[in-house]
Amino acid sequence: MTAYLDNSATTRPTEAVIAAMNEAMREGYFNPSSVYGPAVEAFRHLRACREAILKKLSAPEGTKVIFTSGGTEANNLAILGTVEKMRGKQLLAVNALEHPSVLAAYEKLREMGHEVRVIGADREGEPDWEALGKALEDGASLVSFMQVNNEVGAVLDFRRLRDLVAGRALIHVDGVQGFLRETFSMQYADLYTLSGHKIHAPKGVGALVMRKEVRVAPAHIGGGQEEGLRSGTENTPGIAGLLAAIEEMDASGLMEKKLYMAKRFREAVPEAMVNGPAPEKGARHILNMSFPGVRGETMLHALEAEGVYVSTGSACSSKKRKVSKVLLAMGIEPDRAESAIRFSLSPHTSCEEIDQAADALQKIYPQLRRFQRR
């Protein structure tokens, strides 16, 4: 038996998702831009997915859903596209704990001559609200804060963010780790991004959700699909899978599983330390723990040998780094950050998988600890 506890990296498509995609490829393969009957039906399926997303986000009338290839493209379109439509050099603010697809976009804007304020965070992932307030007073026009941190599970206080911004800037929220696992409403953001493969839909499909008054420059030009912001024939099988995933996603029992996992892991390794918010205060599907004296990469491979799959942080950057930049930005000591492991759940994770991981930790940690660097 294997225990898959890396659902923040990607999730396994469900049978309903696979069936929806299969039907879209076998029967509904028509181009939704064409005007004959079967193509119009394909277009209706796209519309149904947009409507499902808008309903889940309690979006006001006129809110747009732009389909993309995933969260990275959606974040790039949201950030680079909005700033391109602004006049002159801008002051921008971004959370220090953001995903690389967000931070890299802001770094590009900095290289283009815009001023970028990086807003720090404390050891629980709480933003430096005072620093953000100062950036807004100085004229920040766009701010980006993720709904759920992908490494430690810190949850954004989006009400406080909206009240602080108070209409002075556009608010972009990266919802890739939050969509359908934590509640959110578009009344708290101007731009919101999501990715299908984090919620049991396939890879290669995501969306940018944007309020109707927001102006965004296109990332792709050509046939004018997706409100002219993302030309190219839509990924109809992927969108069909996304709709199926949205319709069946139920995260109601995730927090109970997470708290059970935290309890079992602490019993297995009493020395283990939680990084970020306390388990009951963070997102219901992410738990980050450090195992003193054992490098995260070493622990990862030892767990793999026991049939347990985890990660040391963001899957998009884990092959490029030794220590999590997110944990360091939170003020976590380098040795502790180097020994961190992220465990992440889905609604389909079983207690048996958690037990298997706990038993593996109890077995291998004492063995690995003996080889601690001195």
Side-chain angles (χ1 to χ4, degrees), residues 96-98 149-152 323-331:
L97 310 185
E98 293 297 302
N149 182 267
N150 58 304
E151 292 197 27
V152 300
V323 182
S324 166
K325 293 181 180 179
V326 166
L327 295 181
L328 294 178
M330 292 167 56

Side-chain angles (χ1 to χ4, degrees), residues 24 27-44 46 223 225-226 232-237:
E27 307 295 336
Y29 57 85
F30 303 93
N31 190 322
S33 295
S34 298
V35 296
Y36 41 80
V40 173
E41 185 62 23
F43 174 81
R44 291 194 183 109
L46 301 188
Q225 292 91 340
E226 299 304 298
T233 302
E234 292 89 348
N235 174 11
T236 51

Side-chain angles (χ1 to χ4, degrees), residues 51-74:
E51 291 173 350
I53 292 171
L54 294 173
K55 182 178 180 180
K56 293 294 184 181
L57 293 174
S58 302
E61 186 176 352
T63 303
K64 300 176 181 178
V65 175
I66 308 301
F67 290 120
T68 67
S69 64
T72 292
E73 184 188 344

Side-chain angles (χ1 to χ4, degrees), residues 175-195:
V176 167
Q177 288 294 339
F179 183 58
L180 300 187
R181 285 144 294 176
E182 300 290 332
T183 58
F184 192 82
S185 168
M186 280 302 294
Q187 67 176 299
Y188 298 103
D190 299 289
L191 304 116
Y192 182 91
T193 51
L194 61 96
S195 178

